[in-house]
């Protein structure tokens, strides 16, 4: 059974837009956000093959008429976009317009557009719910870098965008019967869950009323504040590592800081959809990548040797025929070799192996004295970056928050004396404790209490730790395991629909089943994390999906440590 | 950049820059000098990585210490250390080689979905029906108003036929008021457009098209000549293109001041809302008559040539296949002829799209200062060229060249051999005929060939399941064998 795939979901929409426009020459008009949405899944050359010859931003269309061109507009239904579109229709540059909105349209907006279309150029007005970035088949993001507003509450525009994004995701996957579970301790999660529930309910009546589908989708809404640890850790799998150490933004990686970088490699695109090596190695750990890249290089060198032995005309012909693949391969090789060697340079330069080992031990082991000694040693190691010292101190602060022999202040002072902690960073530690400290959390993050954790601890004790750098398992994995086994407690993660059970008219089959004490098997689970996800979590969900789970993971953003600092600070002030 | 199918393709082309080097030596020298250096930079990058790894190894004492016990000679460095310690995270999940589907049990599968194993396109919602209803009303409203104004405009511009131009102003005014009654001056104290009160310095005027009272500042003026052309474009179908040609040169059709041109031409005073309505009408005509840009003609040519190529290619492939399987249905010159056709289409796509690149540099018909439009136009042209290049690349990769005489001869010989072999087998299977004696008998040859063909037909018929045909052919074979026996005995 093929898993649901968010990349495929967006691709369906874009492909349909282009195919439904039968005219020859097409232009694609997008706004800033939809341009990112499309660029995540289609390369420009791919669109060119579909006779899309012009890519424009709605806010910067030219003056000269191109009447023989048809415009496919794929835009978000924002005020500004609607205004710009009205102006464009009053004075059309294109011969016809095929308009697709990425979300719900108000009736009065349709009327305004219809009134503006005096030249009768509009051929299509549709809602296509591709209002999110599809990052990997099972990972999406709404591309909102900072969700939290003052004192960790919603601000209206972010809330609106979040509701739109999440509902569009649900509809793009053709889910209509949803059960929403949310994290009770988070007001933001509760507000969002309520709004999603009512929006999906009202909209399905007009969108999918005739679809007879009884499958259930569970939407799990959690708040990053419950697990502030995962974004603090250094990572050792390829995608996560690149994001942590260099940074991935809309599949682009900026390598301009790499010493001696060649001009054409200053910005590279890392898209698993178009890059076989990346696709197979997204979740490989650092050691394996080195082996794999060696194989890639040897393959390339072998090919290159063949290519350079051009002795006869027939060799030449083979060369011409295989040249496109060869060129592509050489691009892939130089890209990954550059990135992997940069990663290994950074690992050595900043002593990241040692840092990471201490991080993992801090989270997963419990020898307090030992760890304090190790942290002290790290503070005195000049190779270690300041931000890594901050990570460690943050982890320590969270781990031993209410421990009587807490030495946080001593460690902070020591770091400051060694000038390893900047003024700004000192403020981050209390902000983080306020963000994700014990006062907020409803479960013990470092607990040894859940049966799962106990089992894990037990097995670990038997086998010994086989990978010191991958001891930590993100909370979301435990939550998902509990959810699947029907063990996720209603007291901590209540169900929005629960009140419907009181009303007999609203009683649907799912509720009846629930009342009979049966666990409803969902057809898939959608996770939304307020405050963003990490690639480490993506890795764990990927592994679950490989073993038959159908889980889509996403959140407001994909964080690394530095973007997470900004996120936490934005809510603190 | 691009190699073409013509003769040059068989010359000494450089595979990277496609220059014809004349002979093999020159080509090798050129390739090594120019291109080997370029492509080896990548390899250099790789060797740099190796160097880096080994230098890390020798420098970092700590790493060395930790990697004791690893006897891998190659890649003995940071990587192998990392690899050793970092056993893959996957190990935590996978106990054996085959990943167990332990989570499947927790999910339900939609039966419909399950069979097709396929994801469907997400939900959509169309607003076009409602949109069309609103737009229809709006367009109807505009149409009615415009038609009314055009009718009045026509009557007003005919004034000179009714009353001589130098005639009585009063009578002219009466004629105008007969078309649309003027609003009484006395009931109006403010301008119906800008709401300023009238007085000594702000005099009252009337719009000739709807009779409203307006001030001078809110007045627009339309020349009779322009007004007539606009009316003509609405009514007369003859001479239309000429009228429109004249109209297309205008930016606006009304002006805010009275133009005293040489002929001291008649004009009409109208209010802003009527002016706007006429201007919109004019823009509609304008929009309808924007000529197709040249690049679209070129583009259509490219598409046409692409279609031709694809069609001819089918024939060509069939011919080549036939020739190379040793059949004699087609000759080499047939293939060459079709190949020339292909080359023509190929050339056409190439040259047409090259012209577009020239357009991208010139940007004809675009205002010098309109940089954004120019950039857009240039991108459009270049993208079409890129598209054409992709098409051509696919073509040249998917089209085999015409086989040489030698190759054809080889193919035919091979076919001959396999035919003979088969025929030999067939002969042995004919009842009552001795294979060895046959070889000498010239008379029997046509029979055997016939027999062989029938056997082949029969095989085909069997494969296709046409039982009746098989029976018929079987009896044919029987007859043939009979005939052969007769000849043989003679």
């Amino acid at each position: 059974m093929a898993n649901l795939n968010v990349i495929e979901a967006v691709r369906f929409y874009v492909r349909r837009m282009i195919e439904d426009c039968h005219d020859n020459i097409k232009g694609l008009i997008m706004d800033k956000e939809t341009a990112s949405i499309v660029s995540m899944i289609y390369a420009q050359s791919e669109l060119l093959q579909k006779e899309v010859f012009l890519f424009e931003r709605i806010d910067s269309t030219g003056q000269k008429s191109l009447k023989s061109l048809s415009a496919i507009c794929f835009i978000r239904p924002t005020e500004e976009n609607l205004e710009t579109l009205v102006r464009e229709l009053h004075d059309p540059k294109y011969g016809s317009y095929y308009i697709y909105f990425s979300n719900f349209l108000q009736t009065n907006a349709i009327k305004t557009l219809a009134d503006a279309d005096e030249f009768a150029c509009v051929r299509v007005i549709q809602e296509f719910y591709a209002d999110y970035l599809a990052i990997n088949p099972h990972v999406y993001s709404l591309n909102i870098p900072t969700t939290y507003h003052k004192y960790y509450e919603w601000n209206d525009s972010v809330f609106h965008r979040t509701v739109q994004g999440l509902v569009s995701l649900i509809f793009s996957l053709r889910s209509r019967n949803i059960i929403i579970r949310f994290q009770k301790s988070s007001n933001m999660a509760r507000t969002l869950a309520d709004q999603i529930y009512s929006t999906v309910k009202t909209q399905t009546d007009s969108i999918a009323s005739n679809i007879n589908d009884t499958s259930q989708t569970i939407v799990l809404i959690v708040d990053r504040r419950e697990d502030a640890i995962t974004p603090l850790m250094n990572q050792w799998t390829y995608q996560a590592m690149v994001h942590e150490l260099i940074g991935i933004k809309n599949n682009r990686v900026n390598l301009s800081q790499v010493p001696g970088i060649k001009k054409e490699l200053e910005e590279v695109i890392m898209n698993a959809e178009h890059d076989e090596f990346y696709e197979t190695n997204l979740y490989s750990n650092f050691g394996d990548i080195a082996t794999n890249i060696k194989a890639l290089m040897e393959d390339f060198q072998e090919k290159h040797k063949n290519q350079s032995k051009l002795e006869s005309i027939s060799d030449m012909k083979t060369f011409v025929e295989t040249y496109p693949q060869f060129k592509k391969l050489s691009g892939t090789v130089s890209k990954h070799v550059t990135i992997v060697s940069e990663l290994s340079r950074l690992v050595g330069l900043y002593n990241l192996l040692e840092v990471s080992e201490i991080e993992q031990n801090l989270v997963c082991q419990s020898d307090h004295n030992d760890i304090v000694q190790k942290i002290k040693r790290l503070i005195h190691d000049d190779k270690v970056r300041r931000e890594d010292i901050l990570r460690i101190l943050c982890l320590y602060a969270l781990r031993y928050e209410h421990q009587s022999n807490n030495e946080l202040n001593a460690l902070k002072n020591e770091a400051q004396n060694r000038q390893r902690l900047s003024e700004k960073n000192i403020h981050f530690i209390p902000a983080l404790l306020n963000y994700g400290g014990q006062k907020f959390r409803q479960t013990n993050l470092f607990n040894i209490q859940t049966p799962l954790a106990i089992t894990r601890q037990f097995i670990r004790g038997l086998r010994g730790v086989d990978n010191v750098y991958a001891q930590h398992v993100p909370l979301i994995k435990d939550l998902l395991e509990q959810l699947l086994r029907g063990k996720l407690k209603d007291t901590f993660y209540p169900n929005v629909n629960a009140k419907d059970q009181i009303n007999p008219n609203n009683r649907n089959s799912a509720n009846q089943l629930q009342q009979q004490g049966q666990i409803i098997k969902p057809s898939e689970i959608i996770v939304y994390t307020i405050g963003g996800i990490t690639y480490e979590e993506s890795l764990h969900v990927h592994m679950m999906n490989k073993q038959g789970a159908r889980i889509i993971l996403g959140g407001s953003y994909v964080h690394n440590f530095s973007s997470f600092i900004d996120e936490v600070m934005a809510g603190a002030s | 950049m691009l190699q073409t199918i013509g003769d040059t393709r068989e010359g000494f082309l450089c595979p990277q820059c496609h220059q014809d080097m004349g002979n093999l030596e020159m080509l090798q020298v050129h390739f090594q000098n120019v291109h080997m250096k370029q492509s080896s930079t990548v390899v250099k990058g790789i060797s740099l990585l190796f160097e880096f790894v080994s230098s890390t190894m020798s420098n970092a004492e700590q790493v060395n210490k930790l990697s004791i016990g690893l006897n891998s000679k190659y890649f003995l460095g940071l990587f192998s250390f990392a690899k050793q310690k970092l056993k893959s995270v996957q190990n935590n999940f996978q106990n054996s080689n085959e990943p167990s589907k332990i989570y499947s049990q927790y999910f339900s599968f939609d039966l419909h979905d399950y069979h097709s194993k396929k994801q469907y396109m997400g939900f959509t919602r169309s607003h076009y029906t409602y949109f069309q209803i609103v737009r229809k009303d709006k367009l109807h409203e505009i149409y009615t108003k415009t038609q009314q104004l055009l009718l009045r405009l026509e009557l007003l511009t005919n004034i000179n036929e009714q009353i001589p131009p130098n005639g009585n102003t009063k009578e002219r005014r009466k004629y105008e008021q007969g078309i649309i009654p003027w609003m009484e001056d006395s009931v109006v104290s403010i301008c119906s457009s800008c709401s300023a009160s009238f007085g000594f310095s702000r005099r009252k005027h009337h719009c000739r098209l709807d009779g409203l009272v307006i001030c001078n500042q809110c007045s627009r003026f339309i020349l009779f000549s322009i007004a007539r052309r606009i009316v003509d474009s609405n009514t007369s179908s003859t001479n239309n293109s000429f009228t429109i040609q004249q109209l297309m040169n205008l930016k606006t059709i009304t002006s805010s001041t009275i133009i005293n041109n040489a002929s001291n031409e008649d004009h009409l005073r109208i209010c802003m809302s009527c002016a706007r309505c006429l201007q919109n009408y004019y823009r509609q005509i304008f929009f309808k008559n924007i000529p197709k840009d040249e690049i679209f003609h070129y583009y259509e040519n490219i598409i046409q040539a692409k279609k031709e190529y694809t069609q001819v290619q089918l024939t060509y492939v069939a011919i080549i296949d036939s020739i190379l399987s040793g059949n004699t249905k087609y000759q080499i010159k047939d293939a060459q002829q079709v190949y020339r056709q292909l080359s023509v289409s190929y050339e056409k796509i190439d040259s047409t799209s090259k012209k577009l690149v020239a357009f991208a540099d010139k940007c004809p018909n675009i205002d010098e200062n309109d940089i954004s439009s120019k950039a857009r136009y240039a991108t459009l042209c270049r993208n079409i060229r890129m598209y054409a290049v992709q098409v051509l690349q696919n073509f040249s990769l998917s089209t085999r060249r015409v086989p040489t005489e030698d190759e054809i001869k080889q193919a035919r010989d091979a076919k001959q051999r396999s035919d003979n072999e088969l025929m030999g087998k067939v002969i042995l299977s004919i009842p009552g005929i001795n294979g060895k004696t046959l070889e000498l008998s010239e008379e029997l040859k046509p029979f055997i060939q016939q027999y062989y063909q029938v056997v082949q037909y029969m095989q085909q018929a069997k494969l296709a399941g046409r039982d009746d045909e098989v029976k018929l052919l079987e009896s044919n074979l029987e007859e043939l064998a009979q005939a052969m026996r007769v000849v043989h005995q003679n």
Side-chain angles (χ1 to χ4, degrees):
Chain A
M1 166 104 219
N3 266 342
L4 281 181
N5 180 331
V6 288
I7 289 186
E8 203 49 42
V10 178
R11 206 187 279 271
F12 267 123
Y13 281 131
V14 178
R15 196 160 43 206
R16 174 64 66 84
M17 276 178 222
I18 294 167
E19 279 169 6
D20 276 2
C21 175
H22 297 294
D23 307 314
N24 269 336
I25 307 190
K26 292 169 273 246
L28 187 55
I29 302 184
M30 295 164 289
D31 61 39
K32 192 170 170 246
E33 281 179 82
T34 53
S36 319
I37 292 168
V38 173
S39 75
M40 294 296 283
I41 48 157
Y42 271 114
Q44 194 157 323
S45 58
E46 253 178 298
L47 292 171
L48 214 59
Q49 274 171 7
K50 295 175 189 283
E51 298 176 274
V52 179
F53 291 127
L54 207 54
F55 304 91
E56 289 201 280
R57 287 280 289 278
I58 188 164
D59 45 6
S60 62
T61 53
Q63 286 302 306
K64 188 184 186 287
S65 166
L66 288 167
K67 209 187 124 194
S68 316
L69 243 80
S70 296
I72 301 169
C73 302
F74 176 47
I75 51 176
R76 301 200 67 247
T78 61
E79 293 278 321
E80 303 99 287
N81 283 345
L82 283 167
E83 274 169 35
T84 324
L85 195 56
V86 162
R87 263 193 311 245
E88 176 76 20
L89 290 179
H90 271 304
D91 185 13
K93 272 93 175 180
Y94 290 86
S96 47
Y97 290 80
Y98 296 77
I99 303 172
Y100 298 90
F101 287 100
S102 63
N103 226 302
F104 309 122
L105 210 54
Q106 305 291 329
T107 312
N108 55 6
I110 305 162
K111 195 177 176 308
T112 318
L113 287 173
D115 280 341
D117 189 23
E118 287 171 30
F119 291 84
C121 292
V122 176
R123 301 275 180 279
V124 164
I125 295 240
Q126 288 229 56
E127 289 168 8
F128 272 22
Y129 306 105
D131 212 2
Y132 55 85
L133 294 188
I135 293 173
N136 293 122
H138 69 291
V139 182
Y140 67 95
S141 149
L142 300 187
N143 211 13
I144 306 168
T146 51
T147 296
Y148 299 103
H149 200 49
K150 269 183 185 160
Y151 308 113
Y152 304 111
E153 280 300 334
W154 287 109
N155 99 12
D156 285 347
S157 67
V158 172
F159 182 67
H160 187 58
R161 178 71 189 90
T162 307
V163 172
Q164 282 187 324
L166 190 46
V167 173
S168 94
L169 175 84
I170 291 167
F171 284 162
S172 75
L173 297 174
R174 296 182 76 83
S175 311
R176 66 185 298 267
N177 306 318
I178 56 165
I179 298 165
I180 304 179
R181 305 283 299 265
F182 65 93
Q183 183 185 315
K184 202 182 173 193
S185 60
S186 165
N187 282 333
M188 289 173 84
R190 177 193 299 274
T191 326
L192 180 63
D194 284 343
Q195 188 60 44
I196 296 291
Y197 182 68
S198 63
T199 310
V200 168
K201 214 167 172 223
T202 48
Q203 298 291 353
T204 37
D205 286 345
S206 72
I207 288 173
S209 56
N210 54 352
I211 289 163
N212 189 16
D213 178 5
T214 51
S215 66
Q216 297 278 340
T217 301
I218 295 180
V219 179
L220 177 66
I221 296 176
V222 294
D223 194 326
R224 178 84 269 163
R225 294 178 70 186
E226 188 69 13
D227 171 17
I229 288 175
T230 311
L232 300 175
M233 317 272 287
N234 270 303
Q235 299 300 322
W236 295 100
T237 54
Y238 197 26
Q239 187 185 29
M241 211 175 163
V242 172
H243 189 48
E244 196 59 52
L245 292 177
I246 307 172
I248 305 173
K249 206 173 176 194
N250 294 354
N251 282 345
R252 279 159 208 276
V253 177
N254 183 340
L255 296 175
S256 58
Q257 299 304 313
V258 176
I261 190 77
K262 273 183 284 171
K263 191 87 192 151
E264 70 266 24
L265 284 172
E266 277 184 3
E267 190 184 73
V268 296
I269 291 172
M270 303 272 276
N271 192 334
E273 295 295 300
H274 304 123
D275 180 344
E276 213 183 311
F277 180 82
Y278 190 49
E279 193 196 350
T280 43
N281 287 290
L282 271 183
Y283 308 108
S284 307
N285 74 49
F286 188 48
D288 292 335
I289 302 162
T291 321
N292 296 348
I293 210 156
K294 204 181 124 236
L296 183 73
M297 268 156 27
E298 276 165 1
D299 180 33
F300 174 74
Q301 274 169 324
E302 189 58 36
K303 286 216 170 86
H304 188 267
K305 225 190 284 167
N306 291 340
Q307 299 293 1
S308 39
K309 269 191 289 176
L310 291 167
E311 279 161 359
S312 67
I313 295 298
S314 72
D315 283 346
M316 217 66 96
K317 187 167 152 32
T318 345
F319 185 101
V320 174
E321 278 165 10
T322 52
Y323 186 67
Q325 290 101 303
F326 174 73
K327 205 175 158 192
K328 204 176 148 200
L329 183 62
S330 102
T332 314
V333 169
S334 51
K335 179 169 77 183
H336 289 291
V337 165
T338 310
I339 290 176
V340 172
S341 47
E342 172 64 5
L343 291 180
S344 71
R345 185 183 73 90
L346 296 174
V347 167
L349 190 64
Y350 302 137
N351 231 349
L352 288 179
L353 285 168
E354 197 184 335
V355 172
S356 178
E357 192 175 337
I358 294 176
E359 284 169 11
Q360 297 281 341
N361 285 346
L362 241 173
V363 176
C364 301
Q365 312 284 332
S366 41
D367 190 342
H368 180 252
N369 285 339
D370 179 52
I371 214 78
V372 169
Q373 291 316 311
K374 278 182 175 158
I375 294 174
K376 280 184 180 160
R377 208 173 63 219
L378 219 55
I379 291 172
H380 288 269
D381 183 345
D382 286 338
K383 275 175 93 179
V384 175
R385 287 181 299 178
R386 288 175 170 205
E387 59 179 277
D388 287 324
I389 288 176
L390 181 62
R391 283 174 207 263
I392 299 275
L393 290 179
C394 288
L395 287 170
Y396 181 88
L398 286 170
R399 175 77 163 93
Y400 297 104
E401 194 179 351
H402 291 304
Q403 190 115 339
S404 51
N405 55 351
N406 185 318
E407 293 192 40
L408 181 62
N409 283 330
L411 290 172
K412 261 160 79 174
N413 288 338
E414 194 154 345
Q416 262 182 300
N417 291 342
R418 295 269 309 163
Q419 299 186 333
R420 304 308 308 273
L421 200 58
S422 72
E423 199 60 34
K424 185 196 160 200
N425 287 346
I426 290 172
H427 296 305
F428 180 67
I429 299 172
L432 183 73
L433 283 173
N434 187 26
Y435 174 88
Q438 239 175 55
K439 209 172 115 201
F440 176 82
R441 296 199 304 265
Q442 51 186 17
T443 47
N444 189 353
L445 242 189
F446 304 92
N447 69 3
I448 334 268
Q449 288 159 9
T450 66
L452 256 164
I454 291 169
T455 322
R456 206 179 286 137
Q457 203 76 14
F458 180 68
I459 292 170
R460 201 177 276 155
L462 280 181
R463 289 200 311 203
V465 179
D466 56 4
N467 183 351
V468 287
Y469 305 104
Q471 300 174 67
H472 171 245
V473 176
L475 177 72
I476 193 71
K477 179 161 196 259
D478 285 352
L479 292 181
L480 285 167
E481 296 259 5
Q482 289 171 26
L483 178 63
L484 288 175
R485 294 183 162 85
K487 301 254 167 68
L488 192 66
K489 284 196 181 112
D490 271 346
T491 40
F492 290 144
Y493 291 90
N495 184 340
V496 173
N497 317 33
K499 28 187 186 263
D500 281 0
Q501 289 178 8
I502 304 158
N503 183 350
N505 296 331
N506 256 340
R507 186 177 297 175
N508 55 29
S509 59
N511 286 332
Q512 277 169 3
L513 279 176
Q514 229 167 17
Q515 280 171 344
Q516 289 157 15
Q518 293 182 7
I519 302 164
I520 316 146
K521 283 186 181 178
S523 59
E524 67 268 323
I525 294 174
I526 295 171
V527 180
Y528 184 80
T529 312
I530 297 167
I533 53 165
T534 64
Y535 281 121
E536 187 190 346
E537 288 161 335
S538 156
L539 160 76
H540 282 267
V541 171
H542 170 78
M543 291 304 166
M544 289 177 85
N545 284 350
K546 262 177 97 175
Q547 290 171 287
R550 290 161 61 83
I551 302 167
I552 306 267
L553 175 77
S556 47
Y557 202 69
V558 183
H559 276 305
N560 56 18
F561 182 51
S562 80
S563 66
F564 181 62
I565 293 179
D566 296 338
E567 175 87 271
V568 171
M569 295 309 271
S573 55
Chain B
M1 262 314 282
L2 195 82
Q3 47 133 190
T4 51
I5 277 194
D7 304 324
T8 42
R9 196 180 172 199
E10 271 137 295
F12 291 91
L13 292 182
C14 167
Q16 287 201 335
C17 58
H18 307 298
Q19 278 176 339
D20 193 345
M21 288 288 137
N23 61 49
L24 187 56
E25 284 76 16
M26 285 297 284
L27 180 53
Q28 276 176 333
V29 170
H30 160 83
F31 190 81
Q32 270 170 359
N33 285 350
V34 182
H35 300 299
M36 294 289 274
K37 279 178 192 155
Q38 284 174 11
S39 44
S40 65
T41 47
V42 180
V43 182
K44 238 180 243 163
I46 295 161
S47 44
L48 270 179
L49 175 67
F50 276 119
E51 272 167 38
F52 170 75
V53 171
S54 48
S55 68
T56 319
M57 180 183 80
S58 54
N59 293 341
E61 233 177 88
Q62 190 193 8
V63 174
N64 258 338
K65 202 168 63 199
L66 282 166
S67 54
I68 289 169
L70 302 170
N71 47 10
S72 83
K73 286 181 184 159
Y74 205 48
F75 243 83
L76 182 78
L78 191 54
F79 280 144
S80 52
F81 162 62
K83 186 169 152 51
Q84 192 69 14
K85 277 215 136 183
L86 284 168
K87 273 187 196 157
S88 103
V89 177
Q90 282 97 317
N91 288 350
N92 286 354
F93 296 87
Q94 293 168 359
N95 302 325
S96 59
N97 290 335
E98 53 172 294
S100 55
K101 296 282 181 191
I102 51 164
Y103 292 110
S104 315
Q105 54 177 314
Y106 300 115
F107 291 89
S108 80
F109 295 113
D110 185 352
L111 270 181
H112 181 57
D113 214 21
Y114 186 77
H115 286 300
S116 57
K117 292 196 170 190
K118 207 174 127 193
Q119 189 176 345
Y120 294 92
M121 187 170 118
F123 294 142
T124 63
R125 173 161 54 188
S126 175
H127 293 293
Y128 198 49
T129 318
Y130 175 66
F131 182 89
Q132 276 176 306
I133 293 168
V134 177
R135 182 172 68 184
K136 201 178 151 203
D137 290 351
K138 174 79 179 178
L139 290 180
H140 184 73
E141 187 191 314
I142 294 173
Y143 178 78
T144 326
K145 196 184 170 199
T146 314
Q147 287 303 317
Q148 203 177 21
L149 291 187
L150 287 175
L151 189 68
R152 289 178 199 160
L153 202 62
E154 188 182 357
L155 293 171
L156 286 167
T157 48
N158 284 342
I159 192 166
N160 289 349
E161 290 163 26
Q162 312 291 330
I163 301 143
N166 300 326
N168 195 330
T169 352
K170 249 186 195 161
E171 254 180 60
R172 290 176 73 89
R173 183 155 296 176
K174 202 170 164 194
Y175 178 82
E176 287 172 348
Q177 287 174 339
I179 292 161
I180 174 84
W182 286 13
M183 200 173 253
E184 274 296 328
D185 276 4
S186 52
V187 300
V188 187
S189 59
I190 55 167
C191 168
S192 64
S193 173
C194 65
S195 304
S197 30
F198 291 114
F200 185 71
S201 60
R202 196 184 295 273
R203 308 299 306 270
K204 291 176 182 173
H205 299 279
H206 282 94
C207 167
R208 264 51 170 184
L209 282 175
D210 62 9
L212 286 180
V213 180
I214 44 171
C215 68
N216 193 42
Q217 270 176 333
C218 296
S219 301
R220 292 288 176 274
F221 301 94
I222 181 167
L223 289 172
F224 268 36
S225 57
I226 294 176
R228 280 204 199 95
R229 267 183 236 143
I230 286 179
V231 171
D232 281 355
S233 73
N234 184 38
T235 51
S236 66
S237 53
T238 51
N239 249 348
N240 215 344
S241 58
F242 177 68
T243 322
I244 284 159
Q245 262 310 309
Q246 283 181 311
L247 278 175
M248 292 292 276
N249 298 326
L250 298 170
K251 269 229 156 67
T252 55
I253 53 165
T254 57
S255 58
S256 52
T257 50
I258 305 164
I259 307 155
N260 284 316
N261 57 5
S263 58
N264 207 2
E265 207 186 317
D266 278 333
H267 57 263
L268 283 173
R269 181 191 291 270
I270 56 176
C271 71
M272 295 233 262
S273 107
C274 290
R276 215 174 296 130
C277 184
L278 289 179
Q279 180 71 28
N280 275 343
Y281 174 69
Y282 167 70
R283 284 178 44 228
Q284 296 271 2
I285 302 171
F286 190 90
F287 185 72
K288 266 185 213 137
N289 290 288
I290 293 172
K292 253 193 180 175
D293 201 290
E294 252 171 305
I295 50 174
F296 299 105
H297 294 300
Y298 284 120
Y299 178 72
E300 274 158 16
N301 288 341
I302 292 174
I303 295 299
Q304 183 61 33
K306 184 187 164 192
K307 246 185 224 154
E308 283 165 17
Y309 193 103
T310 321
Q311 258 163 16
V312 178
Q313 198 183 22
L314 290 177
T315 328
Y316 180 71
V317 167
I319 292 177
I320 298 277
D321 282 349
S322 161
I323 289 179
L324 285 183
S325 58
N327 287 331
T328 48
K329 193 177 163 196
Y330 296 105
Q331 298 305 314
I332 190 163
K333 62 175 195 292
D334 296 322
Q336 281 164 344
Q337 198 187 349
V338 181
Y339 192 84
R340 270 195 293 279
Q341 278 183 322
L342 284 180
S343 308
V344 170
S345 303
Y346 190 98
E347 271 302 321
K348 196 172 156 198
I349 297 175
D350 192 39
S351 59
T352 317
S353 60
K354 266 184 192 150
K355 277 183 206 151
L356 278 172
V357 179
F359 268 108
D361 299 330
K362 277 189 298 186
C363 293
N365 310 325
I366 300 182
D367 191 348
E368 268 299 301
N369 302 320
D370 189 355
I371 295 162
S372 71
S373 294
K374 273 166 92 175
R376 185 170 69 157
Y377 192 80
T379 317
L380 181 63
C381 294
R382 293 214 178 88
N383 278 344
I384 296 177
R385 164 72 182 162
M386 215 132 88
Y387 170 74
V389 170
Q390 276 176 1
V391 167
L392 292 178
Q393 262 167 1
N394 285 340
F395 279 160
S396 57
L397 287 183
S398 64
T399 310
R400 278 176 293 174
R401 66 194 161 74
V402 179
T404 60
E405 294 280 2
D406 281 355
E407 282 171 319
I408 295 173
K409 197 162 175 298
Q410 272 174 17
R412 287 195 179 154
D413 287 352
K415 162 114 166 136
Q416 191 75 44
R417 270 198 302 280
S418 72
D419 276 1
N420 283 344
E421 230 167 72
L422 272 172
M423 226 193 266
K425 273 185 204 159
V426 170
I427 290 163
L428 291 176
S429 70
I430 302 172
I433 303 282
N434 185 337
K436 277 170 193 165
T437 54
L438 262 171
E439 284 165 26
L440 307 164
S441 163
E442 274 300 313
E443 292 159 75
L444 274 177
K445 262 208 168 150
F447 282 102
I448 293 165
Q449 255 166 13
Q450 185 71 22
Y451 192 93
Y452 171 60
Q453 271 171 11
V454 175
V455 168
Q456 281 195 324
Y457 286 141
M458 207 162 78
Q459 274 167 351
Q460 280 171 16
K462 267 182 192 162
L463 281 174
R466 294 189 295 261
D467 290 342
D468 296 352
E469 216 176 306
V470 174
K471 270 180 198 154
L472 199 73
L473 289 168
E474 262 170 1
S475 65
N476 268 356
L477 281 182
E478 193 49 48
E479 279 166 29
L480 272 170
Q482 194 76 38
M484 274 189 278
R485 276 193 293 272
V486 172
V487 175
H488 185 54
Q489 273 154 18
N490 294 340

